[in-house]
Amino acid sequence: QVQLVESGGGLVQPGGSLRLSCAASGSFFSINVMRWYRQVPGKERELVAAIRSGGREDYGDSVKGRFTIFRDNAKNTAALQMNSLKPEDTAVYYCNADVKLITGYEYRYWGQGTQVTVSS
């Protein structure tokens, strides 16, 4: 069983920063892509950032230049550094990963989500 656990959410003022972390645990062979999504009530889940095992990064247009995604392949962790936060960044943030199991099959797993609120 593979689990993704997020941490680091909270309340921050506009213009502030937060760093989210995601840790993968369980029995698996490797992790391909790790991503961060976010969702607000009544809207579809939005891709925020993605990073491949080789290090290639992709960002949603709304966060380019403000957010940075990191990963540590040895520790099976990912992080999202969020700077210059805006009220519209308020959402539940989810970690997501494409995990290759020992069986050779690859599955997509989700974390439980962490709330980020940007407000004065």
Side-chain angles (χ1 to χ4, degrees):
Q1 187 74 355
V2 177
Q3 285 190 321
L4 300 179
V5 178
E6 302 103 334
S7 61
L11 173 64
V12 63
Q13 292 187 341
S17 298
L18 273 180
R19 188 178 179 96
L20 306 182
S21 297
C22 173
S25 63
S27 182
F28 53 87
F29 180 73
S30 64
I31 299 176
N32 185 7
V33 187
M34 299 190 79
R35 305 174 186 87
W36 288 95
Y37 280 81
R38 66 186 182 187
Q39 189 170 27
V40 298
K43 292 189 176 182
E44 291 189 0
R45 201 166 284 190
E46 173 191 11
L47 177 64
V48 176
I51 185 166
R52 289 160 174 75
S53 57
R56 174 182 166 178
E57 303 165 25
D58 292 295
Y59 296 92
D61 289 341
S62 62
V63 306
K64 283 180 181 177
R66 300 188 296 122
F67 291 11
T68 305
I69 189 169
F70 301 91
R71 70 183 285 173
D72 184 328
N73 291 331
K75 296 181 179 179
N76 297 313
T77 59
L80 184 69
Q81 178 66 40
M82 305 185 293
N83 298 329
S84 303
L85 283 161
K86 305 175 182 179
E88 51 263 45
D89 294 317
T90 296
V92 177
Y93 283 71
Y94 297 90
C95 178
N96 160 297
D98 294 342
V99 180
K100 187 174 183 179
L101 303 183
I102 295 173
T103 58
Y105 290 100
E106 188 171 279
Y107 293 95
R108 184 163 296 178
Y109 293 89
W110 291 87
Q112 82 286 355
T114 184
Q115 176 70 46
V116 172
T117 302
V118 184
S119 175
S120 54

